[in-house]
Each structure stands twice: as C-alpha cells, then as structure tokens.
Amino acid sequence: MHGYANPARFLRLARLFTAPLLISGLALAGLALAWGLFGAPPEKLQGDSVRILFVHVPTAWLGMGAWSAIAVASLTELVWRHPLAGIAARAIALPGAVFAALCLITGSLWGRPAWGTWWVWDGRLTSMLVLLFLYLAYIALADAANRDGDGGSRIPAIFGLVGAVNIPIIHYSVLWWNSLHQPPSITMGKSEMAPEFLFGLLAATIGFSLIFGGVVLARMRTILADSQAEARLRRRAMEASDE
Amino acid sequence: MSEGLNHWTFVIASYAIGVGGTVLLVGWSWLEMRRAEARRDRSRER
C-alpha cells in the first residue's frame, strides 16, 4: 500500500486515469439515463415516475459509498499514516456531499408523485439529511485543519470514522422503522426488479461511479499541486529572508 | 399519483438537476485541477 505513498508515482497513475474515467463514466451514465428516459417502460404502479430511479439510486449509492470511502481513508491515515489517505478523504468529501444532496432532491421529486408528499421525517430521509450535514461539517473541519498546518488532519480523520456510524443507520432504517421508503429492491445476489430496470440501473450506477472516481482523482491532483506550489513559495520566501 | 400529477414534470426536473449537478461537479473539478497544476508549474519556473 505504501508503494503508492510517493506522490510522484501516484500522480503518474492519476494522470493516466483521470480523463478516461470521466469520459467513460459520462458516456455510460449518459446512455443509461437516455435508456431511463426513452427506453424503459412505465412501471405498473409508479408509472413514469419510476424513471427518476435511474438518477436517484446512483446518487444515493455514491452519497453513502463516498462516506464509507472517507472512513476507510481516515482509518488508513490514523493507523498506517499513509500520506495520501488524508488527501483522498478530503478529495472525496465534496463529490460525496454533491451526490448526497442530489439524492435528497431527486428523492423528494420522486416522493411527490409516488407518495403524495415532498418530505417525511422518517428514518431513511432524516438519516440521509444527517449525512449531508456530516459532509458539510467534514469539509469545514478539513479546510480548517489544512489551514492550521501539520498535525491537524487527525481531527477530520477521527470525525470521518465516527460519522461512518450513520451509514448502517441509513441502510437499515427502512427495516428498523416504519417508512414510506420501500425496503431494498436489490440485495446480495437477489433482485426484485424487472430486467429492463435492473440492467439500466446497474449501468447508470457504474457510469456515475466512474465519474466519481475521475472527480476524486482530479481533486487529489488539485490538492497535491496546491501543496507543492505552496511549499515551493514558502521555501523561496525563507531563502529570501535568509539572504 | 392519485392527484393526477403529470409525472414527466418530476422526471424532467430530476434529470435536469441530477445531470446538471454532475456536469457542474465534473467541469469545476477539472478546471480547478488544471488551474492548480498550471500554478504549480509556474512556481517551478520562477
């Protein structure tokens, strides 16, 4: 794992993968969403509003998956002190927050025709809203720690780990409490979904995940480039003051 | 559904917000990366 701790080696790989991930993700997600809009048939009970799931499910998956990735990166930073783990966690936070927000908005737009209401304070919706607030708090904390300099990255890492408690709560909320939100339609090795929805949904989820991977690499490259430029300027300023 | 709402209004709004948000995120992250790498390259040349 520490083989990729060298930023120069990581940057070589990141430069190779950023654009291909973004382009293939945009193409696959675009095709899947076109299928969701024009190809998939209306569902028997939900009618045309079922098409919203092609946007809602991938954004929900990424909203939750991104925080799981922050937790893994935080653990890696705290236990193994991998130098890129904290950078990865910081890079993941913004796309995670964007996808959590998109999940809430598209879910609300689906809830109005399907349930007759934009919002209910039930376990699933409320825990997802809490996740969005956790992202915003993490971003603020990580920015503050970054401004304060070395050693401060432990606090966001601990916050990233503690916040992961919310992920199983979101996942199991529809089983633990009464909810308007339906239980999971896809579980390990089993699906209650018709193939015309299932394959389109899988393609959209893979497409959005590729986009997410590309965005995270781009943001990691941004953080690394900023810190390299800043270190150079600081060194030059110290040299100038010594003369 | 019982109110006879036009589902397509909600579908189009969802796709516009979902796709628009994702494209903005990709475009912004890409531009930020290009700007930061250009800044680093300039600091190397000085």
Side-chain angles (χ1 to χ4, degrees):
Chain A
M1 193 161 56
H2 277 270
Y4 298 101
N6 179 347
R9 185 179 293 177
F10 167 78
L11 279 174
R12 267 200 304 277
L13 279 175
R15 278 193 203 107
L16 202 65
F17 285 110
T18 311
L21 279 173
L22 290 174
I23 293 166
S24 58
L26 286 168
L28 186 59
L31 282 173
L33 293 185
W35 166 256
L37 262 186
F38 307 113
E43 206 261 344
K44 195 169 59 181
L45 294 173
Q46 298 181 40
D48 283 313
S49 68
V50 75
R51 300 176 198 283
I52 296 173
L53 294 189
F54 290 87
V55 187
H56 177 67
V57 172
T59 54
W61 150 253
L62 286 170
M64 290 165 67
W67 194 282
S68 308
I70 287 178
V72 171
S74 299
L75 185 71
T76 309
E77 187 186 3
L78 288 171
V79 177
W80 292 285
R81 302 193 177 261
H82 194 290
L84 288 175
I87 292 171
R90 272 179 65 203
I92 291 165
L94 181 82
V98 168
F99 284 120
L102 290 177
C103 163
L104 286 165
I105 295 168
T106 55
S108 187
L109 283 163
W110 177 67
R112 183 66 184 92
W115 304 334
T117 181
W118 297 100
W119 184 264
V120 280
W121 290 100
D122 72 355
R124 171 57 67 89
L125 277 70
T126 308
S127 55
M128 198 65 203
L129 184 65
V130 168
L131 180 68
L132 176 62
F133 292 146
L134 286 174
Y135 274 120
L136 299 179
Y138 181 90
I139 291 167
L141 205 56
D143 278 355
N146 186 48
R147 269 198 308 273
D148 289 347
D150 293 339
S153 62
R154 286 176 67 83
I155 296 167
I158 292 166
F159 185 76
L161 266 182
V162 173
V165 168
N166 193 39
I167 300 299
I169 295 177
I170 298 173
H171 183 74
Y172 290 108
S173 57
V174 285
L175 303 174
W176 290 342
W177 301 299
N178 282 329
S179 174
L180 281 178
H181 200 287
Q182 76 272 31
S185 306
I186 305 168
T187 49
M188 292 296 270
K190 203 176 124 201
S191 165
E192 292 165 10
M193 225 176 246
E196 59 265 36
F197 297 111
L198 179 67
F199 293 120
L201 204 53
L202 279 177
T205 306
I206 294 169
F208 273 93
S209 302
L210 293 172
I211 293 171
F212 175 79
V215 167
V216 170
L217 284 184
R219 298 190 66 78
M220 286 180 77
R221 285 171 63 179
T222 306
I223 295 168
L224 280 170
D226 276 341
S227 61
Q228 286 168 342
E230 202 176 305
R232 213 162 274 144
L233 287 175
R234 205 175 293 153
R235 200 166 50 234
R236 215 159 277 155
M238 282 172 72
E239 284 166 6
S241 67
D242 286 345
E243 281 166 11
Chain B
M1 221 145 45
S2 56
E3 295 170 77
L5 295 169
N6 182 0
H7 288 197
W8 278 102
T9 312
F10 297 91
V11 172
I12 299 297
S14 295
Y15 276 63
I17 293 167
V19 172
T22 306
V23 168
L24 270 178
L25 174 71
V26 169
W28 183 42
S29 301
W30 183 262
L31 286 176
E32 281 277 290
M33 179 192 79
R34 295 295 297 268
R35 276 193 210 121
E37 292 188 339
R39 224 170 14 239
R40 179 194 56 200
D41 294 343
R42 273 200 308 275
S43 77
R44 204 177 275 166
E45 287 159 13
R46 272 183 214 157

